[in-house]
Amino acid sequence: MSLIFESYRPGFRDLFTAAPAQQLPDRIAITACTWHRGLQRLILASGQGTITQLHPDGTQQFLCCCGEALRCLNADCVDRLVYTKGSSARIDRSYTDGTGMVTIAVGFEDQPFAQLTNISIHSNGMLYFADCRTDDTSAVYFANPIGLVALKAGADVIAPQAVCVSTDQRYVYIADPAQRFVTKFQIASNGTLEFKQLCCYLGDDADQLQIVTMLPGEDGTLYVVTSRDIRVYDCDGMALGRIVFDAGITAACLGGKALDKLYLFQGSTLQALTLSVPGSAFVR
C-alpha cells in the first residue's frame, strides 16, 4: 500500500507513523472493521460473511459466519456487534460468536431503509446513522439500543454518506458531499439534532467522493476516510492535509490499546497508522 502525504499546515506529516502493510492470512477482502474494547482486538468482517478477530501476531481467529457480507460494522457500549448485512437495509445486533441476534431497526414509519451508511454510537447507547437514497428522502436517524423504532434526527441533508458522534458526545458530524461540507449538529436532550453548522469543506471534488467513514480524534481532529484518501481537519474545521492511497480503501476504524491506531484496509491488505494524538476515548 503506497501512501502520499499532502500537507496544508506545518507539522501534518508528524501526526502519523506508518507501519509496513501486511497481508491477511486468509486473503479474504475486508468489507468492515471495528475495535472491540472488551477483547482488545480488531474485529473484521468479510465479503463472504465471516467475522474474525485479528491477533497481535497477525493471525486471524474465526468467530462466526453470518452468511452474507457485513457492512457498517461497529461495537456498542457493551461490546456487542452492530451491523447491516448483504443487501439488507436493516440494523442487526449480536455477540461476536453470532448468538443473540436481534434486529434493531428496519425503516422509518412504513418506509424501509434503502442504503444505510456507517453506524455511530453515542456513549448513552443511542445509534446514529443515515439512509442515503437516490431520491429526495435521504435522512439521518437515531435508534434506541433496545430496538425501538428509528426516528428522524431532524438534520437537513441531501445525500449523507457518513455520520460520526463527536469526542465530547455533544455533536453529530454528517458528511454530505452534495453540500460539499461536513456539517455539525448539536444533540438535543431527546436525541434529535439541532443548530446546524458548516464545519469542514470537503473540496471542489466533493460530489465525486465515496466516503467510507468519519472518525474523531481526542483533540477534536476529524478524519474523513474516502475510498481514495483521508482528509484531516482540526477542531475548528480547518484542513490540515490529506493522505492519498494507490488503491481503494474498503474499511477503516480507530483502535489499539492506547487508541492511537488508524486501521485501513484495501481488500485483504492492512495498513496501520500510529497517531501522535489518540482517537476518541469512546471509539464507536
Side-chain angles (χ1 to χ4, degrees):
M1 186 184 295
S2 174
L3 309 178
I4 299 174
F5 292 83
E6 295 183 358
S7 299
Y8 305 151
R9 295 287 187 275
F12 173 71
R13 180 63 184 86
D14 298 332
L15 298 177
F16 308 92
T17 303
Q22 70 179 84
Q23 183 71 42
L24 296 180
D26 63 11
R27 295 183 177 272
I28 296 176
I30 300 304
T31 57
C33 61
T34 191
W35 180 256
H36 193 288
R37 297 182 69 179
L39 295 173
Q40 289 290 291
R41 293 287 187 273
L42 195 60
I43 303 297
L44 311 178
S46 78
Q48 298 182 2
T50 58
I51 297 179
T52 59
Q53 63 171 312
L54 186 64
H55 291 277
D57 62 1
T59 59
Q60 286 176 267
Q61 178 184 345
F62 176 82
L63 296 175
C64 68
C65 182
C66 297
E68 297 179 88
L70 297 187
R71 301 178 294 114
C72 306
L73 181 68
N74 209 331
D76 70 10
C77 301
V78 291
D79 292 319
R80 294 168 298 190
L81 299 181
V82 180
Y83 50 81
T84 63
K85 59 183 179 181
S87 59
S88 171
R90 72 172 193 239
I91 298 177
D92 293 333
R93 182 184 67 210
S94 71
Y95 294 103
T96 54
D97 62 1
T99 61
M101 198 278 285
V102 297
T103 296
I104 296 177
V106 298
F108 176 67
E109 296 178 343
D110 60 349
Q111 179 97 347
F113 296 134
Q115 183 178 339
L116 296 181
T117 64
N118 68 305
I119 302 165
S120 188
I121 304 177
H122 195 280
S123 58
N124 63 13
M126 200 72 74
L127 281 65
Y128 287 89
F129 54 94
D131 188 18
C132 187
R133 310 174 74 96
T134 57
D135 55 23
D136 60 355
T137 60
S138 294
V140 175
Y141 297 89
F142 66 102
N144 187 299
I146 63 174
L148 295 180
V149 176
L151 300 174
K152 280 192 175 180
D156 174 23
V157 296
I158 298 175
Q161 291 190 18
V163 297
C164 173
V165 176
S166 67
T167 297
D168 60 12
Q169 307 290 286
R170 296 174 54 202
Y171 302 96
V172 168
Y173 295 102
I174 301 171
D176 193 343
Q179 299 190 55
R180 297 188 181 275
F181 276 90
V182 173
T183 53
K184 182 171 74 171
F185 291 82
Q186 185 173 319
I187 302 174
S189 58
N190 63 357
T192 58
L193 304 180
E194 58 186 10
F195 305 129
K196 176 181 178 179
Q197 304 174 54
L198 296 180
C199 183
C200 309
Y201 181 61
L202 289 171
D204 294 340
D205 62 344
D207 57 351
Q208 304 173 30
L209 295 180
Q210 179 184 349
I211 296 177
V212 176
T213 190
M214 282 193 300
L215 303 166
E218 187 63 35
D219 61 349
T221 303
L222 189 65
Y223 305 93
V224 180
V225 183
T226 81
S227 60
R228 63 183 191 236
D229 62 17
I230 302 175
R231 302 178 184 210
V232 185
Y233 302 86
D234 67 14
C235 60
D236 296 319
M238 296 296 295
L240 299 177
R242 70 175 186 144
I243 307 172
V244 183
F245 305 100
D246 60 347
I249 298 298
T250 57
C253 70
L254 289 169
K257 292 184 177 180
L259 301 177
D260 62 348
K261 297 289 191 297
L262 175 54
Y263 296 106
L264 305 162
F265 285 90
Q266 290 179 341
S268 60
T269 300
L270 167 62
Q271 175 73 66
L273 299 177
T274 299
L275 308 176
S276 63
V277 177
S280 170
F282 188 81
V283 179
R284 300 296 179 204

